[in-house]
């Protein structure tokens, strides 16, 4: 479990991992405890085969763990591409404890990826039998069975965010 505060930084969509590397490379020693783009695991069908893949949970955003916000801001100014530290009102604030706890509860700490959940549909309702969504079915807003994803909503920086996580339905 990380000690520093979690700050959300908006970056170019699709380049989240590159920006994490840049931030870690350009920041002074001890300024950044961790930089990551939370991901989710799912399966896609390619040439008739199911393949395990990881996709961004929050496309266009990375999370920096630091207790030195001043050094993070200075590092972001050195990056010649678009980066924006998210604010609430006029001040930069870290993720709230409950927002952070939700991401930590769903994802693996070693790779910050939300594993794929597996479930069934009983009487028109999704029942998750295994994985991080087990017991959290209320978070599911909708799903796409053909793409093995569930759309979930949760709060990040005071805003409701709708995103995808992996959910395989084994039968009805």
């Amino acid at each position: 479990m990380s000690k520093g505060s979690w700050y959300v930084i908006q970056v170019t969509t699709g380049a989240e991992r590159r920006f994490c590397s840049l931030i870690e490379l350009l920041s002074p020693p001890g300024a950044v405890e961790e930089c990551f783009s939370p991901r989710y695991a799912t399966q896609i069908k390619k040439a008739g085969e199911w393949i395990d893949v990881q996709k961004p949970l929050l496309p266009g955003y990375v999370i920096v763990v630091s207790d030195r916000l001043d050094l993070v801001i200075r590092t972001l100014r050195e990056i010649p591409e678009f980066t924006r530290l998210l604010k609430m009102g006029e001040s930069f604030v870290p993720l709230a404890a409950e927002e952070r706890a939700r991401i930590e509860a769903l994802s693996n700490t070693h790779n910050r990826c939300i594993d794929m959940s597996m479930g069934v549909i009983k009487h028109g309702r999704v029942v998750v039998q295994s994985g991080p969504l087990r017991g959290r079915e209320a978070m599911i807003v909708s799903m796409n069975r053909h793409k093995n994803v569930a759309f979930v909503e949760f709060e990040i920086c005071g805003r409701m965010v709708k995103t995808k996580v992996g959910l395989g339905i084994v039968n009805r």
Side-chain angles (χ1 to χ4, degrees), residues 7-8 40 42 46 53 55 96 137 143 151 153 155 165:
Y7 295 95
V8 180
Y40 70 93
T42 189
K46 199 169 193 175
V53 295
K55 297 188 172 194
E137 289 89 348
M143 57 186 241
F151 294 88
E153 263 188 350
E155 197 170 336
V165 294

Side-chain angles (χ1 to χ4, degrees), residues 42-53 146 148:
T42 189
Q43 294 178 329
I44 59 170
K45 203 169 205 177
K46 199 169 193 175
E49 298 281 324
W50 286 104
I51 300 169
D52 293 332
V53 295
H146 301 289
N148 283 333

Side-chain angles (χ1 to χ4, degrees), residues 2-7 31-36 63-67:
S2 44
K3 298 174 291 207
S5 297
W6 288 24
Y7 295 95
V32 173
E33 185 180 322
E34 181 183 5
C35 183
F36 64 95
I63 296 175
V64 171
V65 181
S66 177
D67 54 5

